[in-house]
Amino acid sequence: MKNLKILIFLVALISQSLIIAQQTPAPKQTKDFAIVGATAHIGNGTVIEKSLIIVKNGKLHTVTDVSAENLDVTGMQVIDAAGKHVYPGFIIPNSTLGLVEIDAVKASDDDAELGSWNPHIRSLIAYNSESKVVESMRPNGVLLGQITPRGGRISGTSSVVQFDAWNWEDAAVKTDNGIHLNWPSSFTRGRWWLGEDPGLKPNKNYSNQVAEIVNYVTESKAYNQGNKTITHLPFEALQGIFDGSKTLYINVDNEKGIIDAVNFSKENKVKNMVIVGGREAYKVTDLLKQNNIAVLLERVHSRPNNEDDDYDLPFKAAKLLVDDGITVALQVAAGGRMERMNSRNLPFYAGTTVAHGLTKAQALELITLNPAKILGIDTNYGSLESGKSATLFISEGDALDMRTNNITHAFIDGRAISLETHQTTLWKRYSGKYNN
């Protein structure tokens, strides 16, 4: 009897795991295929109305007009996409996808470490490739992301992954290529729960906090230029921002902080720097352009930060920057516990920028080619060009419009991935209930 109970328990456990497990990652592409007749949104501003896309060995072999001569698709799997649209896979930068599954369950939260100075902490090894949250990105076309740690003054090191993998090793696209620094704010709000004035006021500790960053970076440079008789992992991790192998991502919003952060990077000879957040970046575009600094812009669907900001500033900020020649990509992180779940709405944030001045081609670049350039993966991802990875999807309508973005096929490195998720299962279940 006891053995029977154990058997029943094990069967139930296995059944439950099968229900909640992520879709099995797609196998490697073994047969060439062609997508015929779709409107191809290349990602670099070009649109081919009736396209022919041929994929071989996980790569884009041909991207051209369907009327092109001497192109033979004999023996290939042919996908008739007439009347549909094909896009490069969308890319979500500065994300904690795969690091937290359920906010209220502490054991599933692994997006931050103790301490303030953690440049050596690798977010990649904590990435959960079987996350149900990650899986829910794919039906909206979000196929790649930069997995980024949080917390402290220097949060750690980020990596870029694709969203259909058995484990973090398989998911990795570019490893340990970003260091994330949280710049102190030059202003602070009083903590009303401690009896402080809740109004906005200058941060009295700002100079000291900046000095701490400068001292830490100075010490790391001295260490890396010395004999290294004693191993110091945090200092060794910072070497990449000086030799160009890593990009320094500085989280900063206000005008003064952005200016100070740029000057800090110049003075310390940081090779590659990106502003993250950048609420007031539109005020210092000349400085950013002169120093070739890109911006991962704050969440589009958010409220203005200051009382005297335009009510629609978050909606039109991308256009203000793009018009001044700044390379801009959209992110979702802007605080709040719905950061990961809202990442699936990335294309619709881009769609909002169209309603506030950008063209659809410009808006598409914000979530395809521009983030690929910023993350250093544009050689293989971010646009539909011959020789690049066949990471793309087919939609029945405009992918930037939530009313028409209905994806029928999606591919990562030429592999036909599943678009089934926990959400699609529930949708089908309850659609059936009310149709009966």
Side-chain angles (χ1 to χ4, degrees), residues 29-36 52-63 72-73 75-77 79 86 384-394 411-416:
Q29 180 190 1
T30 56
K31 186 176 182 179
D32 299 346
F33 66 88
I35 302 171
V36 181
L52 172 62
I53 297 174
I54 297 175
V55 177
K56 296 183 178 183
N57 299 318
K59 296 285 186 180
L60 292 165
H61 179 269
T62 302
V63 181
D72 186 9
V73 296
M76 297 183 190
Q77 175 191 357
I79 300 174
V86 59
L384 302 177
E385 299 178 77
S386 296
K388 289 193 174 185
S389 166
T391 298
L392 52 90
F393 65 88
I394 302 171
F411 304 88
I412 292 179
D413 297 327
R415 299 178 296 111

Side-chain angles (χ1 to χ4, degrees), residues 94 146 148 150 153-156 158 178-185 206 210 213 217 238 241 247-254 256-268 270-279 281 288 293-298 331 374:
N94 189 36
Q146 178 194 33
T148 306
R150 297 282 187 260
R153 184 60 70 199
I154 298 181
S155 304
S158 63
I179 296 286
H180 295 261
L181 167 64
N182 297 303
W183 196 261
S185 176
Y206 179 74
V210 172
I213 297 173
V217 169
L238 281 179
I241 67 174
T247 298
L248 180 61
Y249 294 86
I250 301 184
N251 293 265
V252 57
D253 283 319
N254 67 304
K256 175 175 171 50
I258 293 172
I259 293 172
D260 289 347
V262 172
N263 290 334
F264 157 81
S265 295
K266 290 171 62 179
E267 291 167 2
N268 287 279
V270 173
K271 296 287 186 182
N272 302 303
M273 172 202 168
V274 173
I275 294 293
V276 180
R279 286 179 180 267
L288 297 178
I293 294 173
V295 177
L296 296 181
L297 198 59
E298 64 163 333
Q331 57 159 342
I374 293 170

Side-chain angles (χ1 to χ4, degrees), residues 134-162:
V134 170
E135 183 181 67
S136 70
M137 302 297 112
R138 302 187 311 218
N140 278 358
V142 182
L143 305 182
L144 298 108
Q146 178 194 33
I147 308 306
T148 306
R150 297 282 187 260
R153 184 60 70 199
I154 298 181
S155 304
T157 303
S158 63
S159 297
V160 182
V161 302
Q162 50 86 3

